[in-house]
Amino acid sequence: MPFVRIDAHDTGTDRLDALGRAVHDALVDTLGIPPDDRFQVLTGHDGARSTLRQDDYLGVHRDEGIVFVAITLRSGRTAERKQALYRRIAELAEAYAGTEPRNVFVTLTENADADWSLGHGLAQYVS
């Protein structure tokens, strides 16, 4: 049950949709997330009312094509699975949305079963 937030510069609905599909497909491909388990907030920033900031950190040159992907999910994946996820997101963001892989910035935040309520005020993952 990942919860995904995607932020990108000067992005219309088509590009945001493509980025959302890229991340979702990567989650399905690499972590085995069910295809109907999609919860995303997609935000385009216009530079006037809202914007994004980035630098060339750790030798990666980023530009206005930057896409920030923040994924919250239950813990338990290996470092290898996470690395496969990052690679697949970058591949699909390029294929679906034309985003250069160097501009795909991904963070994962893990939590426990009791940290989720999927509706009705219940913690569905808690037995």
Side-chain angles (χ1 to χ4, degrees), residues 5-8 52-54 66-70 103-106:
R5 290 184 175 274
I6 300 174
D7 291 271
L52 303 174
R53 299 280 188 254
Q54 76 282 335
I66 188 85
V67 174
F68 291 104
V69 179
N103 276 324
V104 179
F105 184 101
V106 181

Side-chain angles (χ1 to χ4, degrees), residues 23-127:
V23 172
H24 183 70
D25 288 354
L27 286 162
V28 171
D29 292 350
T30 62
L31 301 186
I33 301 301
D36 64 343
D37 188 354
R38 182 189 317 233
F39 297 90
Q40 300 179 332
V41 175
L42 312 174
T43 306
H45 298 267
D46 63 8
R49 292 176 296 184
S50 63
T51 193
L52 303 174
R53 299 280 188 254
Q54 76 282 335
D55 286 315
D56 293 346
Y57 183 63
L58 294 178
V60 179
H61 173 70
R62 296 168 196 85
D63 58 29
E64 294 299 309
I66 188 85
V67 174
F68 291 104
V69 179
I71 303 171
T72 303
L73 70 169
R74 293 185 292 162
S75 63
R77 278 69 175 201
T78 65
E80 293 79 20
R81 297 281 298 253
K82 293 174 187 179
Q83 290 170 324
L85 174 64
Y86 304 146
R87 280 190 302 274
R88 191 67 175 144
I89 290 172
E91 291 168 358
L92 294 178
E94 183 174 37
Y96 294 2
T99 300
E100 295 181 50
R102 67 183 171 85
N103 276 324
V104 179
F105 184 101
V106 181
T107 64
L108 293 182
T109 302
E110 296 181 310
N111 59 25
D113 291 349
D115 297 320
W116 295 89
S117 174
L118 309 178
H120 299 292
L122 303 174
Q124 284 85 351
Y125 292 131
V126 177
S127 308

Side-chain angles (χ1 to χ4, degrees), residues 7-27:
D7 291 271
H9 271 296
D10 296 327
T11 301
T13 56
D14 289 343
R15 182 166 182 245
L16 283 172
D17 180 61
L19 291 166
R21 285 186 295 112
V23 172
H24 183 70
D25 288 354
L27 286 162

